[in-house]
Amino acid sequence: MDDDTKRDLEHLKSMVDYLRHLGLLSFAGLVLTSNLSIKMFTDPTWKIFAFLSVAGFFLGIVSSLLSQVGHIDRIRKDPIYELPLSNNFALPTALCLVGVLAGIMFMAAFVLLNWW
């Protein structure tokens, strides 16, 4: 195995770890948002932000899983990368990051607006 293949393999492994952590963060945010909306705020006025937060975290979980499957499947192929972004990894990875960030922002808005 040459150096480029080893480097690409390490890159794919780190991407799978990154996506696994984003998926775990999304799942924790999903649990936190559902607990906040049920237990802490018994009658929230800004329910749309809780819904958008749950939708963002759910998007993060699903796209994380899809992207991990694509990365793990790509590890077995040779060459690992043909052309940059030709392997359809960019869209699910970007959706995962956008979902997590949107979920965090909407959860923060939900908590802050219902607190005051």
Side-chain angles (χ1 to χ4, degrees):
M1 197 180 303
D2 61 339
D3 287 340
D4 288 337
T5 305
K6 286 181 184 177
R7 190 174 30 246
D8 288 345
L9 198 59
E10 286 300 316
H11 173 74
L12 281 175
K13 288 179 186 177
S14 65
M15 281 302 295
V16 169
D17 283 342
Y18 167 74
L19 291 165
R20 186 178 61 217
H21 292 307
L22 280 180
L24 183 63
L25 184 64
S26 292
F27 182 73
L30 189 67
V31 170
L32 184 65
T33 302
S34 62
N35 282 335
L36 280 175
S37 62
I38 293 171
K39 306 264 184 194
M40 194 168 185
F41 303 114
T42 55
D43 189 26
T45 55
W46 296 89
K47 295 176 186 174
I48 188 70
F49 286 113
F51 174 74
L52 290 173
S53 175
V54 167
F57 286 132
F58 187 73
L59 175 70
I61 291 169
V62 170
S63 60
S64 169
L65 291 174
L66 291 176
S67 190
Q68 284 181 55
V69 167
H71 278 80
I72 290 171
D73 182 53
R74 194 66 206 160
I75 288 173
R76 296 179 179 265
K77 306 239 182 346
D78 194 37
I80 293 174
Y81 290 116
E82 294 91 17
L83 293 172
L85 303 180
S86 67
N87 43 24
N88 299 327
F89 292 152
L91 183 62
T93 304
L95 281 178
C96 181
L97 186 60
V98 166
V100 171
L101 293 177
I104 290 171
M105 287 189 311
F106 286 126
M107 182 176 62
F110 173 72
V111 169
L112 290 175
L113 289 173
N114 283 306
W115 210 289
W116 284 290

